[in-house]
Amino acid sequence: DKMRVLFMGTPDIATGCLQKLIDEKYDIIGVVTQPDKPQNRGKKLGMPPVKELALKYDIPVYQPIKARDEEFVATLKELNPDIIVVVAFGQILPKSILDIPKFGCINVHVSLLPKYRGAAPINWAIIQGEKETGVTVFKLQHEIDTGKIIRQAAIPIEDNDNFGTLYNKLKQLGASELIEALNDISTDSAHYLPQSDELASHAPKIFHETCQINFYQGSVQVHNFIRGLCPYPAAWFEFGGQEM
């Protein structure tokens, strides 16, 4: 008897996990994602990638502006999920939601927690010259990316990896580790290991100005910096008054 799963996610990275849940025939009772956004100069509304995938399989989609609103929390209680799976949803969940499912809420994060907590773990792992990274499935608690670890898997960062290649590897790895974690939880064989905060590092959101190359660094650092931002959002420098 498969658990009743509610999935919460928004960007492309989350579609790997949702597709795997669908392929493994989990009982997905609904998908929660961010509202549609105006695309290319506000001409038409674009759907989040997770919504597109859910609609393809006729899974009910919910798009609350604020997930913490009482009305939406009430809707979730009625849906009565056994577990909530969160992958890059984009909103912080309140205790009122974390407390709904009997197995709690689990999150798939693309770093080896407690390292690289935050919005851009894949980019920063490459930029900082790490030799490996991976995925962590952990139980959500209120502070971001701090909950107890259920599963973790590492992969090497190859010298020729960039953000794009590593992203694809971690998207697949995250999906398979999620399924393993759900098996562990449903068979009552999951271990919940606390994270050690003193080993934590951060992967803050990346902005355009973050991407400017500092050529006073060593060549290895410049190389890692460019790889960590390639193909997107792309490192740049100024030359002759122009951005290259």
Side-chain angles (χ1 to χ4, degrees):
D1 214 29
K2 291 264 203 253
M3 291 187 279
R4 291 166 57 78
V5 177
L6 180 78
F7 186 84
M8 302 181 85
T10 301
D12 176 79
I13 192 100
T15 61
C17 288
L18 179 56
Q19 185 68 58
K20 191 87 170 149
L21 289 169
I22 293 165
D23 295 346
E24 299 283 332
K25 310 243 181 315
Y26 270 84
D27 180 10
I28 306 164
I29 55 174
V31 159
V32 183
T33 191
Q34 298 272 52
D36 294 2
K37 269 211 183 99
Q39 282 185 328
N40 40 25
R41 304 217 174 90
K43 288 200 176 55
K44 66 183 194 21
L45 287 178
M47 282 185 227
V50 162
K51 178 180 176 180
E52 280 183 42
L53 182 57
L55 293 178
K56 199 170 119 188
Y57 290 93
D58 297 321
I59 301 167
V61 173
Y62 303 86
Q63 295 178 281
I65 292 168
K66 290 197 174 93
R68 64 171 182 269
D69 283 354
E70 277 173 35
E71 266 172 73
F72 183 68
V73 174
T75 303
L76 289 190
K77 281 189 179 139
E78 275 167 40
L79 283 170
N80 188 27
D82 291 323
I83 195 161
I84 295 178
V85 173
V86 184
V87 189
F89 172 52
Q91 296 184 33
I92 293 175
L93 301 182
K95 194 174 179 321
S96 56
I97 290 179
L98 299 182
D99 290 345
I100 292 173
K102 106 173 142 186
F103 294 108
C105 301
I106 64 170
N107 187 291
V108 181
H109 184 77
V110 281
S111 81
L112 297 172
L113 288 173
K115 289 181 103 164
Y116 300 105
R117 292 173 175 169
I122 304 176
N123 308 90
W124 286 109
I126 301 175
I127 291 169
Q128 304 285 8
E130 297 286 353
K131 292 292 177 228
E132 66 166 15
T133 186
V135 297
T136 305
V137 185
F138 69 98
K139 192 157 183 175
L140 276 182
Q141 55 180 43
H142 207 57
E143 291 76 31
I144 207 151
D145 297 338
T146 59
K148 290 183 178 167
I149 294 171
I150 304 166
R151 280 193 79 89
Q152 197 163 60
I155 55 168
I157 299 177
E158 311 285 350
D159 290 340
N160 59 351
D161 266 324
N162 63 21
F163 169 69
T165 60
L166 196 54
Y167 177 98
N168 289 329
K169 293 177 194 177
L170 292 172
K171 185 176 165 181
Q172 299 313 316
L173 185 64
S176 51
E177 287 300 307
L178 168 63
I179 299 303
E180 295 295 333
L182 290 173
N183 288 340
D184 292 349
I185 291 164
S186 62
T187 57
D188 213 17
S189 54
H191 298 285
Y192 296 89
L193 295 171
Q195 291 185 40
S196 125
D197 281 342
E198 53 272 21
L199 299 176
S201 64
H202 293 277
K205 194 172 171 180
I206 288 171
F207 299 96
H208 180 66
E209 53 273 24
T210 317
C211 302
Q212 185 172 7
I213 301 166
N214 169 12
F215 285 110
Y216 293 101
Q217 298 187 99
S219 58
V220 173
Q221 278 112 314
V222 172
H223 179 237
N224 290 340
F225 188 76
I226 294 169
R227 289 195 300 145
L229 298 166
C230 172
Y232 178 84
W236 60 275
F237 61 93
E238 230 170 70
F239 183 73
Q242 270 194 305
E243 268 185 27
M244 314 294 269

